[in-house]
Amino acid sequence: MLIDGKWVDARSGKTLPVEDPATQEIVTHVPAAEKADVDRAVEAARRAFESGPWSRLSPAERSKMVWRLGDLLEQHADEFAEIESLDAGKPVGNARNQDVEGAIGLFRYMAGWPQRLAGETVPVSSTGDWHAYTLREPVGVVGQIIPWNFPLLMLSWKVAPALAAGCTIVLKPAEQTPLSALRFGELVAEAGIPDGVVNILTGYGEAAGAALAAHPDVDKIAFTGSTEVGKLIVRAAAGNLKRVSLELGGKSPAIVFPDADLDHAIAGTADAIFYNQGQCCTAGSRLFAHKSIYDRVVEGVAAQAGKLKIGHGLDPSVNLGPLVSKDQHDRVSGFLQSGRAEGAEVVTGGNAIGDKGYFFEPTVLAQTSRTMRVVREEIFGPVVCVQSFDDDDLDAVAKFANDTEYGLLASVWTRNLKVAHMMARKIKAGMICINAHNYGDAAWPFGGYKQSGWGREMGKEVMEHYTETKSVAARL
Protein backbone atom coordinates (compact mmCIF):
# COMPACT_ATOMS: atom_id res chain seq x y z
CA MET A 1 0.00 0.00 0.00
CA LEU A 2 1.11 3.60 -0.50
CA ILE A 3 1.55 5.54 2.75
CA ASP A 4 3.62 8.72 2.96
CA GLY A 5 5.32 8.01 -0.35
CA LYS A 6 6.44 4.50 0.67
CA TRP A 7 5.16 1.07 -0.35
CA VAL A 8 4.30 -0.84 2.82
CA ASP A 9 2.52 -3.97 4.00
CA ALA A 10 -0.34 -3.93 6.45
CA ARG A 11 0.83 -3.66 10.06
CA SER A 12 -0.88 -6.97 10.82
CA GLY A 13 0.74 -8.72 7.85
CA LYS A 14 -2.71 -9.77 6.62
CA THR A 15 -3.54 -9.88 2.92
CA LEU A 16 -6.62 -10.33 0.79
CA PRO A 17 -6.92 -12.23 -2.52
CA VAL A 18 -7.60 -10.55 -5.86
CA GLU A 19 -9.68 -12.71 -8.19
CA ASP A 20 -10.15 -12.72 -11.96
CA PRO A 21 -13.98 -12.93 -12.13
CA ALA A 22 -13.88 -14.56 -15.58
CA THR A 23 -11.81 -17.56 -14.43
CA GLN A 24 -12.16 -17.47 -10.62
CA GLU A 25 -8.37 -17.69 -10.42
CA ILE A 26 -6.46 -15.71 -7.79
CA VAL A 27 -4.32 -13.14 -9.61
CA THR A 28 -2.41 -11.86 -6.59
CA HIS A 29 -2.76 -10.78 -2.96
CA VAL A 30 -2.74 -7.23 -1.60
CA PRO A 31 -2.42 -5.90 1.96
CA ALA A 32 -5.53 -5.96 4.15
CA ALA A 33 -5.41 -2.61 5.94
CA GLU A 34 -6.96 -2.18 9.36
CA LYS A 35 -7.35 0.70 11.81
CA ALA A 36 -3.61 0.95 12.56
CA ASP A 37 -2.88 1.41 8.86
CA VAL A 38 -5.64 3.99 8.50
CA ASP A 39 -4.19 5.90 11.46
CA ARG A 40 -0.77 5.88 9.83
CA ALA A 41 -2.13 7.08 6.47
CA VAL A 42 -4.28 9.84 7.99
CA GLU A 43 -1.30 11.04 10.01
CA ALA A 44 0.78 11.23 6.83
CA ALA A 45 -1.98 13.10 5.01
CA ARG A 46 -2.38 15.55 7.90
CA ARG A 47 1.35 16.21 8.03
CA ALA A 48 1.48 16.75 4.26
CA PHE A 49 -1.44 19.16 4.46
CA GLU A 50 -0.31 21.21 7.45
CA SER A 51 3.47 21.38 7.10
CA GLY A 52 4.59 19.75 3.86
CA PRO A 53 5.41 21.48 0.59
CA TRP A 54 1.92 20.81 -0.82
CA SER A 55 0.33 23.72 1.05
CA ARG A 56 3.00 26.11 -0.20
CA LEU A 57 2.66 25.29 -3.91
CA SER A 58 1.19 27.93 -6.18
CA PRO A 59 -2.08 27.14 -7.98
CA ALA A 60 -0.15 26.93 -11.26
CA GLU A 61 2.24 24.32 -9.83
CA ARG A 62 -0.66 22.25 -8.51
CA SER A 63 -2.40 22.53 -11.87
CA LYS A 64 0.67 21.17 -13.70
CA MET A 65 0.78 18.12 -11.44
CA VAL A 66 -2.89 17.30 -11.92
CA TRP A 67 -2.48 17.65 -15.69
CA ARG A 68 0.64 15.49 -15.53
CA LEU A 69 -1.39 12.68 -13.97
CA GLY A 70 -3.67 12.78 -17.00
CA ASP A 71 -0.65 12.59 -19.29
CA LEU A 72 0.74 9.61 -17.39
CA LEU A 73 -2.59 7.80 -17.56
CA GLU A 74 -2.64 8.38 -21.30
CA GLN A 75 0.93 7.09 -21.58
CA HIS A 76 -0.09 3.84 -19.84
CA ALA A 77 -3.66 3.69 -21.15
CA ASP A 78 -3.50 0.18 -22.64
CA GLU A 79 -1.96 -1.19 -19.46
CA PHE A 80 -4.69 0.34 -17.29
CA ALA A 81 -7.37 -1.04 -19.63
CA GLU A 82 -5.94 -4.55 -19.23
CA ILE A 83 -5.77 -4.16 -15.45
CA GLU A 84 -9.43 -3.06 -15.32
CA SER A 85 -10.48 -5.96 -17.53
CA LEU A 86 -8.56 -8.53 -15.50
CA ASP A 87 -9.65 -7.14 -12.13
CA ALA A 88 -13.26 -6.08 -12.77
CA GLY A 89 -14.16 -8.36 -15.68
CA LYS A 90 -15.12 -5.56 -18.06
CA PRO A 91 -14.46 -5.79 -21.83
CA VAL A 92 -11.04 -4.36 -22.54
CA GLY A 93 -12.33 -2.13 -25.33
CA ASN A 94 -14.86 -0.50 -23.01
CA ALA A 95 -12.19 -0.11 -20.34
CA ARG A 96 -9.86 1.60 -22.79
CA ASN A 97 -12.38 3.83 -24.56
CA GLN A 98 -14.63 4.77 -21.67
CA ASP A 99 -12.97 4.16 -18.30
CA VAL A 100 -9.39 5.16 -19.06
CA GLU A 101 -10.31 7.94 -21.49
CA GLY A 102 -12.80 9.28 -18.96
CA ALA A 103 -10.15 9.32 -16.24
CA ILE A 104 -7.67 11.12 -18.50
CA GLY A 105 -10.27 13.73 -19.39
CA LEU A 106 -11.27 14.23 -15.78
CA PHE A 107 -7.71 14.96 -14.62
CA ARG A 108 -7.23 17.40 -17.48
CA TYR A 109 -10.52 19.16 -16.76
CA MET A 110 -9.76 19.44 -13.04
CA ALA A 111 -6.26 20.74 -13.79
CA GLY A 112 -7.92 24.02 -14.71
CA TRP A 113 -9.50 24.55 -11.31
CA PRO A 114 -6.58 25.49 -9.01
CA GLN A 115 -6.35 28.93 -10.64
CA ARG A 116 -10.12 29.44 -10.65
CA LEU A 117 -10.93 28.81 -6.98
CA ALA A 118 -11.50 32.48 -6.29
CA GLY A 119 -13.25 34.28 -3.48
CA GLU A 120 -15.15 37.50 -4.07
CA THR A 121 -15.68 40.93 -2.60
CA VAL A 122 -19.01 41.32 -0.82
CA PRO A 123 -21.01 44.60 -0.93
CA VAL A 124 -22.23 44.77 2.69
CA SER A 125 -24.76 47.22 4.16
CA SER A 126 -23.53 47.41 7.76
CA THR A 127 -23.00 50.79 9.43
CA GLY A 128 -19.49 52.13 8.88
CA ASP A 129 -16.85 51.49 6.26
CA TRP A 130 -16.07 47.82 5.66
CA HIS A 131 -14.00 45.79 3.27
CA ALA A 132 -15.68 42.35 3.16
CA TYR A 133 -14.53 39.45 1.07
CA THR A 134 -14.37 35.66 0.93
CA LEU A 135 -11.55 33.16 0.49
CA ARG A 136 -11.77 29.61 -0.89
CA GLU A 137 -9.53 27.21 1.03
CA PRO A 138 -9.04 23.42 0.84
CA VAL A 139 -11.16 21.47 3.29
CA GLY A 140 -8.13 19.47 4.54
CA VAL A 141 -7.63 15.70 4.80
CA VAL A 142 -10.19 13.76 2.80
CA GLY A 143 -11.02 10.07 3.00
CA GLN A 144 -12.26 8.59 -0.26
CA ILE A 145 -13.91 5.20 -0.70
CA ILE A 146 -14.58 4.02 -4.25
CA PRO A 147 -16.55 1.07 -5.70
CA TRP A 148 -15.64 -1.89 -7.88
CA ASN A 149 -17.73 -1.21 -10.98
CA PHE A 150 -15.51 1.57 -12.43
CA PRO A 151 -12.34 1.43 -10.31
CA LEU A 152 -10.06 3.81 -12.21
CA LEU A 153 -12.80 6.17 -13.33
CA MET A 154 -14.17 6.51 -9.78
CA LEU A 155 -10.62 7.12 -8.54
CA SER A 156 -10.33 10.02 -10.96
CA TRP A 157 -13.69 11.46 -9.90
CA LYS A 158 -12.45 11.58 -6.31
CA VAL A 159 -8.72 12.25 -6.52
CA ALA A 160 -8.59 14.88 -9.28
CA PRO A 161 -10.87 17.51 -7.68
CA ALA A 162 -9.37 16.94 -4.23
CA LEU A 163 -5.86 17.57 -5.56
CA ALA A 164 -7.04 20.58 -7.55
CA ALA A 165 -8.50 22.09 -4.37
CA GLY A 166 -5.25 21.51 -2.44
CA CYS A 167 -6.49 18.72 -0.16
CA THR A 168 -4.56 15.62 0.88
CA ILE A 169 -6.05 12.17 0.40
CA VAL A 170 -6.45 8.72 1.90
CA LEU A 171 -8.04 6.56 -0.80
CA LYS A 172 -9.51 3.10 -0.25
CA PRO A 173 -10.43 1.17 -3.42
CA ALA A 174 -12.94 -1.67 -3.28
CA GLU A 175 -11.47 -4.93 -2.02
CA GLN A 176 -12.65 -6.68 -5.21
CA THR A 177 -10.74 -4.30 -7.55
CA PRO A 178 -7.65 -2.74 -5.93
CA LEU A 179 -5.13 -3.11 -8.75
CA SER A 180 -5.65 0.01 -10.85
CA ALA A 181 -5.49 2.19 -7.73
CA LEU A 182 -2.15 0.67 -6.75
CA ARG A 183 -0.78 1.13 -10.26
CA PHE A 184 -2.02 4.72 -10.17
CA GLY A 185 -0.12 5.18 -6.92
CA GLU A 186 3.10 4.58 -8.82
CA LEU A 187 2.25 7.53 -11.06
CA VAL A 188 1.76 9.91 -8.13
CA ALA A 189 5.47 10.37 -7.39
CA GLU A 190 6.24 10.43 -11.11
CA ALA A 191 3.89 13.39 -11.46
CA GLY A 192 5.87 15.25 -8.79
CA ILE A 193 3.25 15.12 -6.05
CA PRO A 194 4.90 15.28 -2.60
CA ASP A 195 4.93 12.32 -0.21
CA GLY A 196 1.83 11.94 1.94
CA VAL A 197 -0.47 13.93 -0.34
CA VAL A 198 -1.97 10.76 -1.86
CA ASN A 199 -2.13 7.62 0.29
CA ILE A 200 -3.74 4.41 -1.00
CA LEU A 201 -4.96 1.67 1.34
CA THR A 202 -6.29 -1.70 0.21
CA GLY A 203 -8.55 -3.59 2.56
CA TYR A 204 -12.05 -4.69 3.45
CA GLY A 205 -14.81 -2.15 3.91
CA GLU A 206 -15.74 -3.25 7.40
CA ALA A 207 -12.16 -2.76 8.59
CA ALA A 208 -10.32 -0.11 6.58
CA GLY A 209 -13.39 1.66 5.16
CA ALA A 210 -15.18 1.91 8.48
CA ALA A 211 -12.04 3.17 10.27
CA LEU A 212 -11.52 5.82 7.60
CA ALA A 213 -15.13 7.04 7.75
CA ALA A 214 -15.00 7.33 11.53
CA HIS A 215 -11.49 8.78 11.86
CA PRO A 216 -11.52 11.98 13.96
CA ASP A 217 -8.71 13.63 11.95
CA VAL A 218 -10.41 13.24 8.56
CA ASP A 219 -12.15 16.47 7.53
CA LYS A 220 -14.31 15.03 4.75
CA ILE A 221 -15.41 11.63 3.50
CA ALA A 222 -16.41 10.99 -0.12
CA PHE A 223 -18.10 7.67 -0.87
CA THR A 224 -19.47 5.97 -3.96
CA GLY A 225 -21.33 2.73 -3.47
CA SER A 226 -24.61 1.27 -2.28
CA THR A 227 -27.24 3.26 -0.43
CA GLU A 228 -27.08 0.81 2.48
CA VAL A 229 -23.35 1.39 3.02
CA GLY A 230 -23.83 5.12 2.42
CA LYS A 231 -26.10 5.27 5.46
CA LEU A 232 -23.40 3.54 7.53
CA ILE A 233 -20.88 6.14 6.30
CA VAL A 234 -23.14 8.95 7.50
CA ARG A 235 -23.42 7.41 10.96
CA ALA A 236 -19.67 6.86 11.19
CA ALA A 237 -18.96 10.44 10.11
CA ALA A 238 -21.10 11.91 12.87
CA GLY A 239 -18.34 11.65 15.48
CA ASN A 240 -16.52 14.79 14.36
CA LEU A 241 -19.25 16.00 11.99
CA LYS A 242 -16.93 15.59 9.02
CA ARG A 243 -18.32 16.72 5.70
CA VAL A 244 -19.86 13.93 3.63
CA SER A 245 -20.63 13.49 -0.07
CA LEU A 246 -22.35 10.35 -1.30
CA GLU A 247 -22.95 8.93 -4.76
CA LEU A 248 -25.26 5.99 -4.18
CA GLY A 249 -27.71 3.66 -5.89
CA GLY A 250 -30.27 4.08 -8.61
CA LYS A 251 -33.20 2.45 -10.35
CA SER A 252 -33.19 4.63 -13.42
CA PRO A 253 -36.21 4.79 -15.74
CA ALA A 254 -35.90 4.87 -19.53
CA ILE A 255 -39.16 6.16 -21.04
CA VAL A 256 -39.90 5.50 -24.71
CA PHE A 257 -42.69 7.58 -26.25
CA PRO A 258 -44.55 6.37 -29.38
CA ASP A 259 -42.97 9.02 -31.63
CA ALA A 260 -39.38 8.04 -30.76
CA ASP A 261 -36.89 6.84 -33.36
CA LEU A 262 -37.45 3.23 -32.33
CA ASP A 263 -34.32 1.75 -33.84
CA HIS A 264 -32.25 4.33 -31.96
CA ALA A 265 -34.29 3.96 -28.76
CA ILE A 266 -34.11 0.17 -28.75
CA ALA A 267 -30.35 0.14 -29.24
CA GLY A 268 -29.93 2.90 -26.66
CA THR A 269 -32.11 1.37 -23.95
CA ALA A 270 -30.44 -2.02 -24.46
CA ASP A 271 -27.03 -0.41 -23.97
CA ALA A 272 -28.44 1.45 -20.95
CA ILE A 273 -28.90 -1.83 -19.09
CA PHE A 274 -26.32 -4.21 -20.56
CA TYR A 275 -23.33 -1.85 -20.57
CA ASN A 276 -20.75 -2.95 -17.97
CA GLN A 277 -22.89 -6.05 -17.33
CA GLY A 278 -25.57 -3.79 -15.83
CA GLN A 279 -23.20 -2.90 -12.99
CA CYS A 280 -23.89 0.85 -13.23
CA CYS A 281 -25.68 3.01 -10.69
CA THR A 282 -27.32 4.75 -13.66
CA ALA A 283 -28.34 1.53 -15.45
CA GLY A 284 -31.69 1.86 -17.23
CA SER A 285 -33.19 -1.02 -15.28
CA ARG A 286 -36.82 0.18 -15.49
CA LEU A 287 -37.92 0.46 -19.11
CA PHE A 288 -41.28 2.11 -19.78
CA ALA A 289 -42.68 1.80 -23.32
CA HIS A 290 -45.96 3.23 -24.60
CA LYS A 291 -48.52 0.47 -25.16
CA SER A 292 -48.59 1.15 -28.90
CA ILE A 293 -44.90 0.23 -29.24
CA TYR A 294 -44.47 -2.03 -26.19
CA ASP A 295 -44.20 -5.32 -28.09
CA ARG A 296 -41.71 -3.92 -30.59
CA VAL A 297 -39.53 -2.47 -27.82
CA VAL A 298 -39.53 -5.73 -25.84
CA GLU A 299 -38.68 -7.77 -28.93
CA GLY A 300 -36.03 -5.27 -30.01
CA VAL A 301 -34.22 -5.14 -26.66
CA ALA A 302 -34.33 -8.95 -26.43
CA ALA A 303 -32.82 -9.15 -29.92
CA GLN A 304 -30.05 -6.74 -28.88
CA ALA A 305 -29.31 -8.98 -25.89
CA GLY A 306 -28.93 -11.94 -28.22
CA LYS A 307 -26.27 -10.14 -30.27
CA LEU A 308 -23.91 -9.66 -27.32
CA LYS A 309 -20.79 -11.83 -27.23
CA ILE A 310 -20.07 -13.01 -23.70
CA GLY A 311 -16.62 -14.01 -22.50
CA HIS A 312 -13.36 -12.97 -20.86
CA GLY A 313 -12.93 -9.23 -21.01
CA LEU A 314 -9.40 -9.48 -22.40
CA ASP A 315 -10.84 -10.92 -25.62
CA PRO A 316 -11.26 -7.77 -27.76
CA SER A 317 -14.31 -9.22 -29.52
CA VAL A 318 -16.26 -9.61 -26.26
CA ASN A 319 -18.83 -6.97 -25.28
CA LEU A 320 -20.26 -8.55 -22.12
CA GLY A 321 -17.94 -9.84 -19.40
CA PRO A 322 -18.61 -11.54 -16.07
CA LEU A 323 -20.12 -10.03 -12.97
CA VAL A 324 -17.47 -8.90 -10.55
CA SER A 325 -17.73 -11.58 -7.85
CA LYS A 326 -19.55 -14.61 -6.54
CA ASP A 327 -21.53 -12.40 -4.16
CA GLN A 328 -22.75 -10.28 -7.05
CA HIS A 329 -23.51 -13.36 -9.15
CA ASP A 330 -25.54 -14.85 -6.30
CA ARG A 331 -27.36 -11.53 -5.84
CA VAL A 332 -28.44 -11.33 -9.48
CA SER A 333 -29.46 -15.01 -9.49
CA GLY A 334 -31.55 -14.40 -6.39
CA PHE A 335 -33.38 -11.51 -8.02
CA LEU A 336 -34.25 -13.69 -11.02
CA GLN A 337 -35.71 -16.33 -8.73
CA SER A 338 -37.76 -13.63 -7.03
CA GLY A 339 -38.94 -12.19 -10.36
CA ARG A 340 -40.09 -15.56 -11.64
CA ALA A 341 -41.89 -16.31 -8.37
CA GLU A 342 -43.74 -12.99 -8.55
CA GLY A 343 -44.93 -13.55 -12.11
CA ALA A 344 -42.45 -11.74 -14.33
CA GLU A 345 -42.14 -13.14 -17.86
CA VAL A 346 -38.56 -14.00 -18.85
CA VAL A 347 -38.42 -12.95 -22.51
CA THR A 348 -34.73 -13.79 -22.86
CA GLY A 349 -31.86 -14.74 -20.56
CA GLY A 350 -32.39 -15.30 -16.88
CA ASN A 351 -29.67 -17.86 -16.25
CA ALA A 352 -26.08 -18.18 -15.14
CA ILE A 353 -23.62 -19.25 -17.84
CA GLY A 354 -21.10 -22.07 -17.53
CA ASP A 355 -19.41 -23.50 -14.47
CA LYS A 356 -16.36 -21.21 -14.37
CA GLY A 357 -16.49 -17.46 -14.00
CA TYR A 358 -19.36 -15.25 -12.86
CA PHE A 359 -21.18 -14.94 -16.18
CA PHE A 360 -24.89 -14.17 -16.41
CA GLU A 361 -27.13 -13.92 -19.44
CA PRO A 362 -28.46 -10.48 -20.44
CA THR A 363 -32.07 -10.66 -19.33
CA VAL A 364 -35.36 -8.99 -20.33
CA LEU A 365 -38.30 -9.31 -17.95
CA ALA A 366 -41.76 -8.37 -19.26
CA GLN A 367 -45.12 -8.12 -17.50
CA THR A 368 -43.50 -6.54 -14.47
CA SER A 369 -45.13 -4.23 -11.92
CA ARG A 370 -44.22 -1.85 -9.10
CA THR A 371 -45.01 -4.49 -6.46
CA MET A 372 -42.23 -6.80 -7.66
CA ARG A 373 -38.88 -6.80 -5.90
CA VAL A 374 -37.03 -6.78 -9.23
CA VAL A 375 -38.68 -3.43 -10.02
CA ARG A 376 -38.29 -1.84 -6.58
CA GLU A 377 -34.71 -2.78 -5.70
CA GLU A 378 -31.37 -2.21 -7.41
CA ILE A 379 -30.23 -5.47 -9.01
CA PHE A 380 -26.87 -4.24 -10.36
CA GLY A 381 -26.79 -6.79 -13.13
CA PRO A 382 -27.83 -7.15 -16.80
CA VAL A 383 -31.56 -7.34 -16.03
CA VAL A 384 -34.20 -4.92 -17.35
CA CYS A 385 -37.83 -4.79 -16.22
CA VAL A 386 -40.19 -3.59 -18.96
CA GLN A 387 -43.54 -1.97 -18.21
CA SER A 388 -46.10 -0.33 -20.52
CA PHE A 389 -47.92 2.95 -20.11
CA ASP A 390 -51.03 4.10 -21.96
CA ASP A 391 -51.42 7.64 -20.66
CA ASP A 392 -50.45 10.67 -22.73
CA ASP A 393 -50.64 12.94 -19.66
CA LEU A 394 -47.03 13.77 -18.86
CA ASP A 395 -47.76 14.12 -15.14
CA ALA A 396 -49.03 10.55 -15.08
CA VAL A 397 -45.97 9.29 -16.97
CA ALA A 398 -43.66 11.17 -14.62
CA LYS A 399 -45.45 9.60 -11.66
CA PHE A 400 -44.40 6.16 -12.96
CA ALA A 401 -40.81 7.33 -13.33
CA ASN A 402 -40.73 8.90 -9.86
CA ASP A 403 -42.23 5.87 -8.12
CA THR A 404 -38.92 4.84 -6.52
CA GLU A 405 -36.80 5.74 -3.51
CA TYR A 406 -33.98 6.63 -5.90
CA GLY A 407 -33.51 9.64 -8.14
CA LEU A 408 -30.21 9.38 -9.98
CA LEU A 409 -30.81 9.45 -13.74
CA ALA A 410 -33.65 9.09 -16.23
CA SER A 411 -33.76 8.98 -20.01
CA VAL A 412 -36.56 10.20 -22.28
CA TRP A 413 -36.82 8.94 -25.86
CA THR A 414 -38.94 11.13 -28.16
CA ARG A 415 -38.78 13.38 -31.21
CA ASN A 416 -41.05 15.94 -29.52
CA LEU A 417 -38.95 18.70 -27.96
CA LYS A 418 -41.80 19.91 -25.75
CA VAL A 419 -42.35 16.42 -24.34
CA ALA A 420 -38.60 15.94 -23.82
CA HIS A 421 -38.04 19.15 -21.88
CA MET A 422 -41.32 19.00 -19.94
CA MET A 423 -40.41 15.49 -18.79
CA ALA A 424 -36.96 16.74 -17.80
CA ARG A 425 -38.70 19.18 -15.46
CA LYS A 426 -41.15 16.67 -14.02
CA ILE A 427 -38.85 13.73 -13.27
CA LYS A 428 -37.24 13.83 -9.82
CA ALA A 429 -33.70 12.86 -10.74
CA GLY A 430 -30.36 14.59 -10.68
CA MET A 431 -29.65 13.85 -14.36
CA ILE A 432 -31.91 13.63 -17.39
CA CYS A 433 -30.76 12.32 -20.77
CA ILE A 434 -32.81 12.94 -23.90
CA ASN A 435 -32.47 10.29 -26.62
CA ALA A 436 -29.44 8.92 -24.78
CA HIS A 437 -28.58 7.17 -21.51
CA ASN A 438 -25.46 6.81 -19.33
CA TYR A 439 -24.12 10.12 -20.63
CA GLY A 440 -21.15 11.63 -18.81
CA ASP A 441 -18.67 14.46 -19.20
CA ALA A 442 -16.08 15.98 -16.88
CA ALA A 443 -17.93 19.32 -16.96
CA TRP A 444 -21.42 17.79 -16.42
CA PRO A 445 -22.46 17.49 -12.74
CA PHE A 446 -23.21 13.89 -11.73
CA GLY A 447 -25.42 12.96 -8.78
CA GLY A 448 -28.96 12.32 -7.66
CA TYR A 449 -32.03 13.16 -5.64
CA LYS A 450 -33.56 11.23 -2.75
CA GLN A 451 -31.65 8.09 -1.69
CA SER A 452 -29.28 8.33 -4.64
CA GLY A 453 -26.94 10.51 -2.62
CA TRP A 454 -25.73 13.89 -1.40
CA GLY A 455 -23.91 16.36 -3.60
CA ARG A 456 -22.48 16.18 -7.10
CA GLU A 457 -19.38 14.75 -8.75
CA MET A 458 -17.60 16.49 -11.63
CA GLY A 459 -18.30 19.93 -13.03
CA LYS A 460 -17.80 23.06 -10.98
CA GLU A 461 -20.20 21.73 -8.34
CA VAL A 462 -17.75 19.10 -7.07
CA MET A 463 -15.32 21.82 -5.97
CA GLU A 464 -17.80 22.85 -3.27
CA HIS A 465 -17.10 19.50 -1.57
CA TYR A 466 -13.36 20.04 -1.34
CA THR A 467 -13.22 23.72 -0.33
CA GLU A 468 -14.30 25.85 2.59
CA THR A 469 -15.54 29.42 2.23
CA LYS A 470 -13.92 31.80 4.70
CA SER A 471 -15.55 35.21 5.20
CA VAL A 472 -13.35 38.18 6.11
CA ALA A 473 -14.56 41.63 7.21
CA ALA A 474 -12.16 44.55 7.90
CA ARG A 475 -13.33 47.84 9.44
CA LEU A 476 -11.63 50.59 7.45
Side-chain angles (χ1 to χ4, degrees):
M1 304 180 291
L2 181 63
I3 299 179
D4 204 14
K6 300 177 181 62
W7 292 98
V8 299
D9 294 326
R11 280 267 172 89
S12 66
K14 295 178 183 177
T15 62
L16 60 90
V18 180
E19 184 182 30
D20 176 352
T23 64
Q24 297 177 245
E25 295 174 356
I26 302 303
V27 177
T28 188
H29 290 76
V30 297
E34 296 179 340
K35 184 179 182 301
D37 305 293
V38 173
D39 290 342
R40 189 165 39 147
V42 172
E43 181 183 350
R46 175 60 62 190
R47 186 167 55 249
F49 181 74
E50 301 289 354
S51 57
W54 185 242
S55 61
R56 297 190 294 272
L57 291 179
S58 70
E61 290 173 311
R62 205 160 64 241
S63 179
K64 287 179 183 178
M65 292 179 185
V66 177
W67 185 277
R68 176 69 175 142
L69 284 169
D71 284 348
L72 289 168
L73 283 172
E74 186 172 54
Q75 183 179 329
H76 299 284
D78 291 338
E79 177 188 355
F80 273 100
E82 290 185 9
I83 291 172
E84 293 295 79
S85 181
L86 186 67
D87 207 8
K90 58 181 64 214
V92 69
N94 289 353
R96 177 64 179 84
N97 298 324
Q98 278 92 47
D99 297 47
V100 181
E101 281 299 315
I104 293 166
L106 202 285
F107 275 98
R108 288 177 173 163
Y109 172 80
M110 288 300 167
W113 273 104
Q115 293 165 287
R116 291 168 175 79
L117 292 173
E120 59 184 6
T121 56
V122 183
V124 296
S125 302
S126 307
T127 302
D129 292 324
W130 294 89
H131 174 45
Y133 62 95
T134 62
L135 300 172
R136 294 281 294 280
E137 297 182 344
V139 72
V141 175
V142 298
Q144 302 179 322
I145 302 172
I146 58 174
W148 45 257
N149 57 339
F150 293 93
L152 181 66
L153 192 58
M154 294 298 99
L155 177 152
S156 73
W157 285 21
K158 297 288 190 288
V159 171
L163 290 178
C167 298
T168 58
I169 297 162
V170 179
L171 175 80
K172 195 203 86 68
E175 56 262 33
Q176 298 90 342
T177 54
L179 299 184
S180 58
L182 293 176
R183 181 67 182 97
F184 175 83
E186 294 181 324
L187 306 184
V188 169
E190 195 173 344
I193 294 172
D195 293 349
V197 173
V198 177
N199 305 275
I200 300 173
L201 302 179
T202 54
Y204 293 106
E206 58 268 26
L212 185 59
H215 201 288
D217 205 26
V218 170
D219 300 302
K220 174 197 161 46
I221 196 81
F223 171 76
T224 297
S226 70
T227 297
E228 293 75 18
V229 176
K231 292 176 181 179
L232 297 176
I233 296 285
V234 172
R235 297 187 189 104
N240 67 335
L241 291 179
K242 59 173 62 67
R243 294 173 64 176
V244 177
S245 58
L246 304 168
E247 201 277 283
L248 306 176
K251 195 72 180 176
S252 298
I255 307 166
V256 184
F257 285 90
D259 69 325
D261 178 337
L262 285 189
D263 289 340
H264 177 66
I266 286 168
T269 55
D271 185 67
I273 184 61
F274 301 137
Y275 175 68
N276 205 49
Q277 297 74 251
Q279 298 172 134
C280 303
C281 54
T282 56
S285 53
R286 292 185 299 143
L287 176 54
F288 296 93
H290 190 273
K291 66 176 183 179
S292 63
I293 56 169
Y294 176 84
D295 289 342
R296 184 174 168 188
V297 169
V298 171
E299 292 168 6
V301 173
Q304 291 288 320
K307 296 176 183 177
L308 297 173
K309 181 177 179 181
I310 302 168
H312 198 297
L314 288 176
D315 179 346
S317 67
V318 161
N319 40 37
L320 195 75
L323 298 171
V324 75
S325 66
K326 183 179 186 301
D327 286 346
Q328 192 62 22
H329 192 265
D330 290 347
R331 174 184 174 87
V332 174
S333 298
F335 270 106
L336 261 295
Q337 292 175 11
S338 171
R340 286 187 172 100
E342 292 184 305
E345 175 193 348
V346 180
V347 178
T348 189
N351 299 299
I353 303 173
D355 56 4
K356 180 181 287 188
Y358 305 121
F359 296 96
F360 202 92
E361 292 176 331
T363 301
V364 177
L365 299 180
Q367 307 302 326
T368 58
S369 69
R370 172 66 177 85
T371 60
M372 295 180 180
R373 187 167 161 249
V374 288
V375 175
R376 296 194 319 271
E377 299 180 29
E378 187 175 35
I379 299 173
F380 228 61
V383 181
V384 63
C385 300
V386 194
Q387 301 175 65
S388 66
F389 66 93
D390 59 3
D391 202 318
D392 295 323
D393 175 28
L394 297 188
D395 287 327
V397 179
K399 186 176 180 180
F400 282 119
N402 294 331
D403 188 18
T404 173
E405 65 188 26
Y406 299 108
L408 189 56
L409 182 143
S411 62
V412 179
W413 303 79
T414 178
R415 288 187 173 97
N416 187 317
L417 285 175
K418 178 181 177 180
V419 168
H421 293 294
M422 290 298 291
M423 287 300 294
R425 294 182 182 185
K426 294 175 183 295
I427 296 173
K428 294 183 174 65
M431 299 170 289
I432 308 294
C433 293
I434 297 170
N435 296 321
H437 199 100
N438 282 335
Y439 174 75
D441 187 90
W444 197 61
F446 185 105
Y449 290 13
K450 299 188 281 189
Q451 293 194 44
S452 287
W454 291 351
R456 296 294 181 268
E457 304 273 11
M458 302 194 293
K460 66 179 182 180
E461 282 78 4
V462 72
M463 302 311 296
E464 298 291 334
H465 296 315
Y466 293 103
T467 57
E468 294 278 15
T469 298
K470 178 181 286 184
S471 301
V472 183
R475 184 185 290 273
L476 301 181

